[in-house]
Amino acid sequence: MATIEPPDASRIRVDSLPGFGDDNSIDVNMLRLDRMHPFISGNKWFKLCYNIEDAIRSGKQSILSFGGAYSNHLIALAAAAYARGLSSIGLVRGEEAVHNSVLAQCQAYGMQLHYLSRAHYAAKEDAGFLAELEQHFPEALIVPEGGANEAGERGAAEIAGYIDRPFSHVALSVGTGTSFIGLRRALPDVQQLLGFAPMKGGAYLAGTIKAKLQGLPENNWQVYDRFHFGGFGKISAEVSTFMARFYEQYGVELDRVYTAKMMLGIRQLINEGAFPEGAQILCIHTGGLTGNDVT
Ligand SMILES: *Cc1c(COP(=O)(O)O)cnc(C)c1O
């Protein structure tokens, strides 16, 4: 089986994106978490690292988690577990047994795949179903979809340690909201955190996040749900063209599900005049590039 290097945090850096948007007074930058590893997407590694430690500490041999057939989380989990000498189990949404290059890569890292019907998948957080899974896979630590647990939030908080300038705004793509929650807890209160939901109906995420941030200020974050460009995983011509131009201009590949839509959103907000003059924006590139060339 292939060997794999663990993610290399020393490769994280901040790139400047001169000329992004119509307002030259606004300074746009990008935190390149994508540079850490080819498959273990930046934010996924942060969310997984303490889960992996928990598994090792509690003597588990394996980590079990959930995801769709194109899941950046599952592939990151397969690779990260493998790099730490653990096996992994992926419960994949949909019993139609899709097989694509993401899932093949998961298997190459030793992940055992099982397909769940959509009804079972929807029950993946029910106590009864989790108890059944524990009985069936006693050697495995069960981690929710997207690494959405306390260990995931704690790991994501460490992303703040790579933000080395007093940016006025930090932008992040939001799936489960775990990275957003961890990061909001760790950033200075004066920095605005902007979330970008890549799915239709993403407004519910603000509620999920608010419940997790009780007791903290409510005026320094918000989630935009109008930049989904057709819905989760839908890649319109506008999104593809934007990704190609962005690559030409800055030499940075964006992922088509999350960060491309976030950057389109940021550009639109700049052009709408939503940012104050002189704003300094840091956009977090959360990786996920394996999803760009699924076959
Ligand atoms: C999973 C993922 C996200 C969303 O992270 P959450 O912590 O679930 O909100 C954002 N960007 C990329 C590239 C991802 O793979």
Side-chain angles (χ1 to χ4, degrees):
M1 212 187 278
T3 56
I4 179 166
E5 297 295 322
D8 180 0
S10 72
R11 293 181 53 81
I12 298 174
R13 66 176 191 212
V14 173
D15 285 346
S16 159
L17 305 178
F20 190 76
D22 287 347
D23 181 344
N24 283 333
S25 88
I26 294 182
D27 176 33
V28 185
N29 303 272
M30 182 165 264
L31 181 67
R32 300 287 309 280
L33 299 183
D34 60 304
R35 289 173 44 82
M36 287 166 69
H37 199 276
F39 315 123
I40 310 180
S41 297
N43 69 325
K44 299 295 185 287
W45 168 248
F46 284 95
K47 293 191 289 179
L48 285 170
C49 58
Y50 289 119
N51 279 298
I52 290 175
E53 269 185 29
D54 284 350
I56 292 171
R57 197 152 12 99
S58 55
K60 302 283 189 188
Q61 273 111 53
S62 184
I63 300 193
L64 178 153
S65 194
F66 310 83
Y70 302 92
S71 171
N72 291 335
H73 167 65
L74 286 185
I75 190 168
L77 172 61
Y82 182 70
R84 296 298 308 273
L86 294 171
S87 59
S88 57
I89 301 164
L91 303 193
V92 183
R93 180 181 59 232
E95 58 202 331
E96 59 273 19
V98 184
H99 208 73
N100 60 36
S101 53
V102 171
L103 295 177
Q105 189 80 61
C106 287
Q107 283 178 314
Y109 290 120
M111 181 174 264
Q112 204 187 104
L113 297 176
H114 299 278
Y115 294 85
L116 291 184
S117 69
R118 287 179 191 256
H120 270 112
Y121 196 85
K124 66 189 181 303
E125 276 148 42
D126 295 358
F129 185 52
L130 289 173
E132 250 176 70
L133 284 177
E134 263 170 41
Q135 220 166 28
H136 201 80
F137 301 103
E139 76 293 353
L141 175 78
I142 299 176
V143 171
E145 181 184 47
N149 59 9
E150 189 278 328
E153 292 163 10
R154 194 155 31 95
E158 295 190 358
I159 296 171
Y162 296 89
I163 302 180
D164 56 351
R165 271 181 265 159
F167 295 100
S168 55
H169 298 78
V170 175
L172 176 68
S173 207
V174 176
T176 60
T178 312
S179 305
F180 190 97
I181 290 158
L183 194 55
R184 183 59 277 172
R185 290 197 187 119
L187 287 176
D189 282 352
V190 294
Q191 275 175 334
Q192 287 287 328
L193 183 59
L194 310 180
F196 290 82
M199 74 292 277
K200 274 188 188 162
Y204 74 92
L205 281 162
T208 311
I209 292 167
K210 192 171 170 182
K212 290 281 196 160
L213 294 178
Q214 269 181 32
L216 295 176
E218 289 178 10
N219 61 355
N220 59 7
W221 64 268
Q222 76 191 91
V223 175
Y224 293 97
D225 61 354
R226 65 183 161 111
F227 300 117
H228 57 71
F229 299 93
F232 193 73
K234 298 282 191 308
I235 320 301
S236 63
E238 183 183 9
V239 173
S240 327
T241 306
F242 173 77
M243 286 170 67
R245 296 246 167 87
F246 193 89
Y247 185 77
E248 263 169 40
Q249 198 173 355
Y250 301 111
V252 177
E253 187 181 355
L254 298 172
D255 100 282
R256 58 189 187 173
V257 177
Y258 293 97
T259 47
K261 293 180 179 181
M262 169 180 78
M263 294 311 292
L264 271 161
I266 290 280
R267 190 179 66 177
Q268 192 167 325
L269 289 170
I270 292 174
N271 296 352
E272 286 170 3
F275 292 101
E277 204 186 322
Q280 290 186 296
I281 306 173
L282 180 70
C283 309
I284 301 188
H285 192 320
T286 35
L289 299 176
T290 36
N292 281 356
D293 30 48
V294 190
T295 50

